[in-house]
Structures are given as C-alpha cells and as structure tokens.
Amino acid sequence: MKNARTKVMIESCSSKYMLIIIVIFGGIMYLTLIYESEWTSNHQIGPELPEKNLSTPVEFCWRNEEYKIVEPCKPCTDFEMRSHSVPACDQTLYREVVKCLVSKHEVYRSCGNEKWLKEAQFWKFEVWMLLMSIVSSIFVFLRQKFLDRQMIQKIQRQLACNV
C-alpha cells in the first residue's frame, strides 16, 4: 500500500518544472540583492578604520586643503604591501593618489571603503559563478548524452545476441 504523500525526487522532475523552479529562485535571489544593496547603501557596515599616525604632516595635506584625485582607488601591489613603502596600503590594501592644490604635494591616501569597489568585487564573483555553473551544466549534459548512448549500445548488443 502506497503512502498518499509520495516523495518526489529531483531527478524525476520534468525539465519544464525544473526551469520554473530555477527562475523562481533566481528571481528571489535578484530581489534579495536589490533589497540588500538599497539597505546597505544607507547604513554603515562595520566601524570606520582609523587613520594611522604618519610621521610627516605632508602626507595628510588632503585633510586640511583642497585636493584633486590624480589616480583612482586601486589595490596595492604585492611589493607595496610587503615593503610598507606606502603607509596607506597597511590599512585597507587599497590606495589612491591625491594632489593637494595649495602645497602641490602628491600623496597616497587609503581608500578601501569605496562602495563601488565592493560592488565590483561582488559582480566579478557573480559572473565567475555564472560561468562555472554554465560550464558545469554543459559537462553534465554531455556526460548524460554519453551515458545514454552507452545504454542504448548495450541494449542493442543484448538484443543482437538474443536474435
């Protein structure tokens, strides 16, 4: 006697049903991402990193005077991190070059809390995961075709032996 509530295995679902489920979960994920990005853009996550006291006040000229960003925020190189030649890299592992307009000094400034950097990293990760899932799906599809072909050949050999 079968139970009225039978369990449905994922393998027995039709591809149309699976596609509908994937679209629903993708929509939920997308809505969650939109909600999270809106919520986090209005709220500070974690404490602000304090600036380290550097030996010369020239390196802090951007705090007291007008400045222009000469080089946009980018990750520090391995050499800069290992040698500690750029003190701004010790704090957030990102730096930008600013030029103080009054004193004409070009200095490095830490800039790791940039929202666009975090978003760029997130979208790189998402694209990478999408590519990996596509490649994995292709391999699963090809493997299934290979196994189906093997099964058909085995059945054909069995039928040929019995005839």
Side-chain angles (χ1 to χ4, degrees):
M1 186 157 82
K2 287 188 176 181
N3 189 358
R5 300 180 88 198
T6 58
K7 293 182 179 178
V8 177
M9 300 297 287
I10 195 166
E11 293 86 10
S12 63
C13 295
S14 69
S15 49
K16 181 180 178 181
Y17 182 69
M18 291 293 286
L19 185 62
I20 291 171
I21 290 174
I22 289 170
V23 167
I24 288 171
F25 281 128
I28 291 171
M29 181 191 70
Y30 185 70
L31 289 174
T32 303
L33 288 174
I34 290 173
Y35 175 75
E36 288 283 328
S37 73
E38 287 299 316
W39 187 79
T40 56
S41 67
N42 297 330
H43 296 83
Q44 177 68 25
I45 298 175
E48 275 288 321
L49 292 173
E51 295 285 335
K52 286 186 177 179
N53 290 331
L54 300 176
S55 59
T56 59
V58 171
E59 294 180 14
F60 290 114
C61 66
W62 52 269
R63 286 184 176 174
N64 300 325
E65 52 186 271
E66 296 280 327
Y67 64 88
K68 181 176 103 178
I69 297 176
V70 177
E71 193 176 306
C73 189
K74 67 179 184 180
C76 298
T77 63
D78 288 336
F79 174 76
E80 290 171 338
M81 287 186 281
R82 277 189 259 127
S83 68
H84 303 288
S85 61
V86 180
C89 290
D90 294 340
Q91 298 169 11
T92 62
L93 306 180
Y94 290 91
R95 61 155 175 87
E96 65 185 355
V97 178
V98 295
K99 181 174 184 171
C100 299
L101 299 178
V102 175
S103 61
K104 306 286 189 219
H105 292 290
E106 280 193 9
V107 295
Y108 291 104
R109 180 173 75 166
S110 183
C111 62
N113 291 333
E114 297 284 334
K115 181 182 173 188
W116 67 269
L117 276 171
K118 292 177 183 176
E119 284 183 12
Q121 289 174 340
F122 171 76
W123 286 114
K124 284 178 190 175
F125 173 76
E126 285 293 316
V127 167
W128 179 248
M129 289 298 110
L130 177 66
L131 291 175
M132 292 300 292
S133 65
I134 290 171
V135 169
S136 298
S137 298
I138 290 171
F139 278 116
V140 167
F141 178 75
L142 293 175
R143 176 75 175 153
Q144 186 63 45
K145 281 183 72 170
F146 175 75
L147 292 173
D148 289 345
R149 190 170 35 250
Q150 273 188 333
M151 184 178 62
I152 290 171
Q153 289 174 350
K154 183 178 178 182
I155 292 171
Q156 286 175 346
R157 280 195 305 269
Q158 288 175 348
L159 290 175
C161 290
N162 291 336
V163 173

